[in-house]
Amino acid sequence: MFGFSEAFIGEIFVLLLLIPVLTRPLFKKQKYADSIVMVSPLCIVLSIVLIVVYGLSWSRIITGAFSILVLLTNMRALQRFGSRLYVDYYSLAFRIAAAVETLLIVCTLVVFFFFRPSVPSLYPERTVYTGSFTHGFTAGYGLFRRINLVTYRYGNCDSGKSVQDRPLVVFLPDTYTTAEDSQVRLSACTQKGISVFTGDFYVDDGGIAGGIRGFSSLLLRYGSTKRFFLHHLVHANETFSQEIRQKLIEQRRREAESLLVLAGDFAQSLIIAAEGDSLQTAYALQKKYPLFVLGVFDSSAGLPYYKRGTGDLFSVQPLDAFFMFYKTERGRTGSSFGGTVRRFFALQNEEREKKSYGHFAEALYSYMEGIK
C-alpha cells in the first residue's frame, strides 16, 4: 500500500494515534469527558499485535516504548475517565511532559520515514507447518499447536519448474539471518522466471538449546523473536559467538535436510543457493544427493554490501541494520555518531543505485543456464 510495507504502515499508524492523546489540552478548554485517553492502552495492544504478526524489531520496540510512556503519562486521566469524572484543567507538569513526548514522536516519525524498508516486487506464498525434525513436518496448524516451520514459495513452485523449465532453487540463508531477510532478492528471481523455495524453522530438537540455555533459548523458538535475536547474536563476545555459531551451523544442516524433503514433493531436481556458513551444508548435501542437487550457487557473490549477519537488512530492515552497523563502526578511531549515520546512508544509497538484488537474480539465472 502506497509503496510501504504493512508493518511500516502499522508502526506509523500507532505513533499517529498517540499524538491526539498528547495534544488534547490544546483543543479542549471546557469541561468534558476525557474519552480520547482510552486510545493509549489501545496503542499498547496494537504494538503487541505488530510484534506477534511481524516479529520483533527496533522500530516496533520504539513504537511499543512510546505507547507505554504515553500510557504512564496519562494514568491519572485513565483513572478519572474510569470513575466518570470530568476534566477541569491539565497541570503544568502534564502539559510539559505531553509537549516533550509529542516532539519526540514527531522526530521518530521522521526517522522512521528515512529508515523505511523496501517493499519486495512480489510477496511469496506462505505455508505453515507443525512437527519436528524427528517426526517430520505437517502442513497446517491447530489451535493449541505451535508453528514450527514457515515456508516461502516464489514463482511457480507447484510444478517444480519455472516458466522456462528450470530446476527449483532452494535458498539457505546464513547462520545469523533468516529466509525472510532476503525477500527482496528472492522476489527479484521471479522476474527472471526462477522458482525459489525456502523456509524459517522455529523448532529445537536439542540443537541450539545445548549452547543457549534459559530464556535466550526460547527466543530462537518463536517467529516473533528469532529473527531479531539472530541479528544480534553476531555481536556477542567471541567465545560465546563461536560456540553458538557451531550450534547454528548444526541446526542449519538439519533444516536444510528437511527443506529438501519438502521440496522433493514437487521437484525432480534442484539447485541450492546458499551463503556464508550455509555453503558448507549445501556442498555436503550436493555430495550426498548428486542426482537430486544439481549444483550449489553462492548467493552472496556479487553483493558488495554483504556481510555475515547483515544480509539484505539494508533494504528489508534498515533501522535494525543501522544499529548493527553502528555497533561495528563505533570501535573505529575518530568515529562519531554523525559520521556513522552519513556512512550508513551512503552505503544504503549505493545499494539502491546498484540494485544488487537484481544482479543476484541475473547471476543465478546465468548459473542455472550453465548447468542445463
Side-chain angles (χ1 to χ4, degrees):
M1 183 183 292
F2 308 114
F4 302 133
S5 67
E6 295 177 352
F8 176 75
I9 292 174
E11 294 158 8
I12 297 300
F13 178 69
V14 171
L15 292 177
L16 289 176
L17 279 181
L18 293 173
I19 293 179
V21 179
L22 295 171
T23 58
R24 68 189 189 278
L26 300 177
F27 305 104
K28 296 288 186 178
K29 299 297 183 181
Q30 300 176 354
K31 294 181 179 181
Y32 69 100
D34 208 3
S35 57
I36 196 173
V37 74
M38 292 302 298
V39 173
S40 54
L42 172 63
C43 287
I44 291 182
V45 174
L46 292 177
S47 298
I48 295 173
V49 170
L50 283 173
I51 292 173
V52 172
V53 174
Y54 299 106
L56 198 63
S57 71
W58 279 112
S59 57
R60 271 149 245 158
I61 290 174
I62 293 172
T63 301
F66 272 121
S67 300
I68 294 173
L69 180 61
V70 172
L71 176 68
L72 294 177
T73 304
N74 288 272
M75 191 62 70
R76 291 186 61 188
L78 282 168
Q79 293 172 348
R80 287 196 300 265
F81 181 76
S83 301
R84 300 178 181 273
L85 299 176
Y86 285 81
V87 179
D88 288 321
Y89 67 94
Y90 296 99
S91 67
L92 179 61
F94 174 80
R95 290 174 182 270
I96 293 175
V100 171
E101 290 172 19
T102 301
L103 179 61
L104 289 175
I105 290 176
V106 171
C107 291
T108 300
L109 286 169
V110 174
V111 171
F112 277 16
F113 270 98
F114 274 107
F115 286 93
R116 63 187 180 277
S118 300
V119 179
S121 58
L122 177 70
Y123 285 99
E125 176 188 344
R126 298 172 74 255
T127 305
V128 298
Y129 294 79
T130 59
S132 65
F133 295 122
T134 304
H135 300 98
F137 296 91
T138 304
Y141 63 94
L143 182 61
F144 300 104
R145 299 189 66 184
R146 188 165 62 86
I147 295 174
N148 301 115
L149 166 64
V150 179
T151 61
Y152 307 93
R153 299 184 180 190
Y154 298 83
N156 183 21
C157 290
D158 291 334
S159 64
K161 297 181 180 181
S162 68
V163 292
Q164 285 140 332
D165 202 30
R166 293 188 185 83
L168 177 70
V169 173
V170 172
F171 176 74
L172 302 180
D174 200 355
T175 50
Y176 297 107
T177 56
T178 65
E180 197 174 3
D181 291 330
S182 297
Q183 58 183 338
V184 174
R185 254 193 299 170
L186 300 182
S187 65
C189 292
T190 60
Q191 299 177 1
K192 301 292 292 184
I194 301 172
S195 301
V196 182
F197 179 68
T198 186
D200 289 321
F201 291 78
Y202 307 104
V203 60
D204 180 17
D205 291 353
I208 301 176
I212 305 178
R213 295 180 174 84
F215 178 71
S216 296
S217 66
L218 295 177
L219 299 178
L220 293 171
R221 299 181 185 179
Y222 295 93
S224 58
T225 54
K226 179 178 180 177
R227 190 180 181 190
F228 182 79
F229 190 49
L230 276 178
H231 294 165
H232 294 83
L233 272 179
V234 70
H235 293 290
N237 68 75
E238 185 174 353
T239 302
F240 179 79
S241 181
Q242 287 298 322
E243 179 183 1
I244 298 308
R245 181 180 172 187
Q246 292 303 315
K247 292 291 182 180
L248 291 172
I249 292 174
E250 293 172 14
Q251 184 86 347
R252 185 54 47 84
R253 288 172 184 158
R254 305 180 78 181
E255 293 173 358
E257 288 267 10
S258 297
L259 279 179
L260 292 192
V261 171
L262 294 174
D265 293 337
F266 49 83
Q268 299 298 318
S269 61
L270 55 83
I271 291 170
I272 299 178
E275 57 195 23
D277 292 329
S278 295
L279 275 169
Q280 58 180 295
T281 296
Y283 287 122
L285 290 173
Q286 184 187 25
K287 185 177 180 180
K288 187 176 181 179
Y289 308 108
L291 300 180
F292 185 49
V293 181
L294 302 182
V296 174
F297 176 75
D298 184 354
S299 58
S300 63
L303 301 182
Y305 70 98
Y306 176 86
K307 292 182 180 179
R308 173 170 287 115
T310 59
D312 296 323
L313 295 185
F314 274 89
S315 297
V316 297
Q317 284 193 327
L319 193 59
D320 284 45
F322 172 75
F323 278 101
M324 297 171 70
F325 182 77
Y326 175 71
K327 287 181 179 179
T328 303
E329 291 289 299
R330 66 183 177 181
R332 292 177 51 178
T333 304
S335 177
S336 63
F337 181 78
T340 301
V341 172
R342 287 191 295 271
R343 284 193 295 274
F344 176 83
F345 280 113
L347 289 172
Q348 189 183 53
N349 291 333
E350 180 183 358
E351 160 55 19
R352 287 176 176 172
E353 291 175 2
K354 290 184 176 181
K355 296 182 178 179
S356 293
Y357 57 86
H359 297 314
F360 162 77
E362 292 173 1
L364 179 56
Y365 178 90
S366 299
Y367 178 81
M368 296 177 72
E369 287 290 293
I371 62 172
K372 267 190 173 183

